[in-house]
Amino acid sequence: MLEAAFIEKCADPSLDLNVVEAFVRAVGNGDPLAVTVKVGQKKILVEKAETPEQALAIARRYVGHAIVRVGMTSYPAHLGIESGTVLSPTLFNACENLRMGTAMFAKIMRIVAAWYGRNASDEALPYVLSDSLHAWGSGEFEGKDVFQAEDPGGLAAERAVRSQDSRNSDQPSLPSVDEAQPGDITSADMRIDLSGIGSNAPTVPVR
């Protein structure tokens, strides 16, 4: 479990602590030097980095030729670049990686929340989070590239987190880190079961 002080210092401030914990637990293994590489549907085995310099060298080797995810949030290092030479060593700094990863994930949550509608009930929040995590793994939501998509703006999803939490103080508004099981973040099948959250779960289908 991430320390609250670390989240407070490094994570995107628009996200609730429980969201950050669930996000990191679901998409990564907590290793700030992690590098995963995938070409098409094939995952490429790469050596385990022991230093930030080694991790950077591995990532640079594959960027431009493959999907490359790095750090504790499995941040998509390949986005918008054609050569690994422009990659920054800060990708493998735990605090910076968490900042970048949660900022991108917050945007994805806003994209998903906008699809559910501005008037979506608070009970839909677990589904927003689940779909957002799925989108982080696949890179898409409803046929849209979520990493490259324009930020729709608004804090509806994050405000709903706090609103639901304040009204249901005797039960968690979002899954704890222990409920979020890590998965292959490069697989579109990565999912978290959030159906048990709240006493009045909606009948919104999870796609």
Side-chain angles (χ1 to χ4, degrees), residues 69-166:
R69 304 285 193 114
V70 301
M72 64 186 306
T73 65
S74 295
Y75 186 83
H78 58 283
L79 291 180
I81 60 175
E82 298 181 357
S83 171
T85 59
V86 301
L87 289 182
S88 170
T90 58
L91 285 168
F92 299 98
N93 174 276
C95 185
E96 181 66 12
N97 188 276
L98 183 64
R99 184 192 69 76
M100 296 172 63
T102 53
M104 179 70 77
F105 187 68
K107 184 191 81 167
I108 292 174
M109 282 196 72
R110 290 190 287 271
I111 291 172
V112 174
W115 182 87
Y116 273 83
R118 295 185 180 278
N119 297 320
S121 65
D122 290 344
E123 286 79 8
L125 180 62
Y127 299 95
V128 172
L129 179 57
S130 180
D131 282 349
S132 298
L133 290 169
H134 182 68
W136 181 268
S138 67
E140 295 184 354
F141 177 71
E142 293 297 310
K144 177 187 297 184
D145 183 332
V146 292
F147 296 126
Q148 304 287 0
E150 182 179 351
D151 191 332
L155 296 176
E158 295 86 348
R159 287 172 179 168
V161 172
R162 296 178 176 84
S163 175
Q164 185 176 359
D165 187 52
S166 64

Side-chain angles (χ1 to χ4, degrees), residues 9-88:
K9 175 184 177 182
C10 304
D12 189 289
S14 69
L15 294 180
D16 183 86
L17 181 146
N18 285 344
V19 174
V20 175
E21 288 185 338
F23 167 61
V24 173
R25 177 63 181 271
V27 305
N29 60 9
D31 181 5
L33 303 181
V35 180
T36 61
V37 179
K38 194 172 184 181
V39 177
Q41 297 301 314
K42 182 179 180 181
K43 188 174 182 179
I44 307 299
L45 294 179
V46 298
E47 62 270 33
K48 178 175 173 55
E50 301 294 337
T51 67
E53 292 75 19
Q54 290 179 1
L56 182 60
I58 296 170
R60 283 178 170 172
R61 187 187 314 157
Y62 291 98
V63 164
H65 309 285
I67 296 172
V68 181
R69 304 285 193 114
V70 301
M72 64 186 306
T73 65
S74 295
Y75 186 83
H78 58 283
L79 291 180
I81 60 175
E82 298 181 357
S83 171
T85 59
V86 301
L87 289 182
S88 170

